[in-house]
Amino acid sequence: MSSTIEIRSAPHVKGSRTVEQIMRQVVYSLVPVCAFFVWQYGISALALITVVTGVCIWTERVFTGTGTQSGHIQDYSSVITGLLLALTLPPGFPLWMAAVAAFISIALGKALFGGIGFNVFNPALVGRAFAQAAFPTAIATYTPSFLSGRGSEFIPSSLALPLMQPADTAAWLHGMQIDGWTGATPLAQWKFEQTLVGAGELLTSLGGHLPIGPSPVLIVLCGLYLASRRFMDWRIPMAVFGSAAITAWALFLLDPARFPTPFFTLLSGGLALGAVYMATDMATSPVTPKGMWFYGALIGFLTVIIRNFSGLPEGVMYAILLGNAVTPLIERVTQPTPFGKGASKKARRAASYSLNPSYISRDGDVQERDKS
Amino acid sequence: MSTIAAAPRTWDEFMEGIWKQNPVFVMVLGMCPTLAVTVSGVNALSMGVATSFVLVCSCALVSLMRSFTPKEVRIAVYIVIIATFVTVVDYAIQAISLALYDALGAFIQLIVVNCIILGRAEAHASKNAPVPAMINAAGMGVGFTIGLLALGVVREIFGAGTLFGVSLFSANFQPWVIMVLPPGGFFVLGSWLLLFSWWARRKEAQQNA
């Protein structure tokens, strides 16, 4: 490794972690979440995850094959895009629409900009936004979790023929005789029917036949693993959760009848998945610590605003996409002051600098540099 | 001698607007109607034909008047000429089909400010004899119509499952709502631009090799 001489401009000191290592860890941390999703919705969810991830990898392969992309097919980033996109779609989403969304997410969300690291928006959310605009009915059609025959029976809408409308799930569900089933997600129930699902049920995703994604607790635990190993910056999810909670709490205090409790806001919809896995996408979030706080806070605030004051029940996707859009600006205004250019004109004295600064090296860095 | 030499040149002049200088895909002009009225193939075709008519007629007139148009007021003269023909088209479409007139809306009147027409008048018709000017303008008009059709057909197929009103799929077709919305126009235009630039680049590479 270190036998080659690198001729290029700074920075010369860099971590030993490769993109592939980081991405693989993120994939590992997503495995429990996907397993939970499959456990909730059975074979349809499994097929959805497989198709979306497969199409993402295939699209990535096609575009990396043209030689115009920065990454390569083995770097696992397209797998993450696929898994995240699948987790944001309803389990009974027609597989052909899911394939279209997956293609769009990689082609439009990533390949068009030049590959990994150059994309402005989170690719998975680009795909989902396209699907939401193209197929608004299908993406809002949820089916209950933990149905009895989910291990062997597909949700009928999953298997729609390409370009054709999905089968109506309402009639299929009617035959199942599920008590209290309204077909709306907890967020839509709150928005359109003013009924509030309990925080306990939302916390674990286990109560009854709720049409919701994997448990927020599980997602946060997986995120904690990533954050503890520094594969993800903890500031962004913290800022998203914090700002969403504060905004929701302020609204709740203003009018408890109109706005849901902060707990409901934090636990419902895709806020946990968005905050932990999507807002933290390295290419599309700020790199400066101050910028991360601001970026996360903006996403949390916008999510609550969109949820409560727009026609849509859920706002995490658009909030994160807007956050991505202002990321370059945030980075620009939150640049740290370079050494010696502070507000005080006094020269600093008696500063000492470590040869192996803790903020750069992790794990195997130190040994490797000693060897060289 | 002169006729033999003139024939390919005229053909080149005509083809220039269709391929090398295509107003939609190469010059990227006239984006307002390109994105706004290409929801269906019929709309795209009629918009293209209307614009072509205005383009050819106004280029002919501008060319005829080129020797005594004062340089200082030429743009105003061009606009008056173009506006005259747009008014003709406006009334003609209204008389032929009111439904089409409503579908195209303000974009018929907005042909006046279409930069393809003003651009042709300024760059070509004001410097050339009427016949070459008209041939060039006709090529541009056909090129513009092809560009609009390319968008309109794709958007109609995905957005409604029809082609010029004829249903292509079974009644169970799932329309892609985004395709009839403004973002769909941008997506399809972008895809076509991508395809044409890839095509042109490949052709260039083959010629160089």
Side-chain angles (χ1 to χ4, degrees), chain A residues 113-128:
Chain A
F113 295 98
I116 182 169
F118 291 97
N119 48 321
V120 182
F121 298 103
N122 186 319
L125 288 178
V126 171
R128 194 189 188 280

Side-chain angles (χ1 to χ4, degrees), chain A residues 125 129 132-133 302 306 312 314-323:
Chain A
L125 288 178
Q132 169 127 40
L302 283 175
I306 295 174
L312 295 165
E314 175 59 307
V316 174
M317 174 179 74
Y318 291 121
I320 296 178
L321 287 173
L322 283 168

Side-chain angles (χ1 to χ4, degrees), chain A residues 302-316:
Chain A
L302 283 175
T303 302
V304 177
I305 296 297
I306 295 174
R307 278 186 186 178
N308 288 312
F309 298 101
S310 81
L312 295 165
E314 175 59 307
V316 174

Side-chain angles (χ1 to χ4, degrees), chain A residues 97 108 133-134 136 163-166, chain B residues 170 172-174 176-178 187:
Chain A
M97 295 181 189
L108 184 68
L163 296 179
M164 294 299 142
Q165 276 172 3
Chain B
S170 69
N172 213 2
F173 178 77
Q174 166 75 48
W176 299 30
V177 180
I178 195 171
F187 283 138

Side-chain angles (χ1 to χ4, degrees), chain A residues 344-367:
Chain A
S344 65
K345 294 282 190 288
K346 264 193 292 177
R348 283 214 225 160
R349 280 175 194 285
S352 68
Y353 300 99
S354 163
L355 270 178
N356 296 314
S358 61
Y359 54 85
I360 296 172
S361 53
R362 300 277 311 165
D363 296 354
D365 277 25
V366 181
Q367 293 95 320

Side-chain angles (χ1 to χ4, degrees), chain B residues 50-69:
Chain B
T51 310
S52 304
F53 170 78
V54 176
L55 190 54
V56 173
C57 295
S58 45
C59 278
L61 206 57
V62 166
S63 174
L64 282 172
M65 293 166 68
R66 71 184 188 282
S67 53
F68 54 87
T69 308

Side-chain angles (χ1 to χ4, degrees), chain A residues 5-91:
Chain A
I5 300 171
E6 232 178 291
I7 303 175
R8 53 170 217 154
S9 58
H12 299 292
V13 183
K14 54 184 184 182
S16 63
R17 267 179 188 166
T18 62
V19 171
E20 190 207 327
Q21 282 168 348
I22 298 172
M23 295 294 168
R24 196 159 47 184
Q25 290 297 322
V26 178
V27 171
Y28 290 159
S29 80
L30 272 170
V31 167
V33 182
C34 291
F36 193 95
F37 191 54
V38 173
W39 181 49
Q40 277 178 303
Y41 293 101
I43 193 166
S44 285
L46 187 65
L48 184 73
I49 293 175
T50 314
V51 167
V52 170
T53 313
V55 173
C56 278
I57 296 171
W58 175 80
T59 316
E60 176 91 343
R61 191 182 150 66
V62 167
F63 280 100
T64 48
T66 63
T68 56
Q69 303 291 302
S70 64
H72 50 92
I73 186 76
Q74 293 101 326
D75 67 13
Y76 284 85
S77 61
S78 55
V79 179
I80 297 178
T81 302
L83 294 178
L84 287 177
L85 177 60
L87 288 172
T88 62
L89 295 171

Side-chain angles (χ1 to χ4, degrees), chain A residues 31 65-67 70 89 105 109 114 123 135 151 153 192 200 207 218-219 241 266 295 300 332 335 354 367 372:
Chain A
V31 167
T66 63
S70 64
L89 295 171
S105 65
F135 315 113
E153 191 188 359
F192 305 118
L218 183 66
I219 293 170
F241 286 132
L266 285 185
Y295 164 84
R332 222 186 147 98
Q335 283 297 318
S354 163
Q367 293 95 320
S372 58

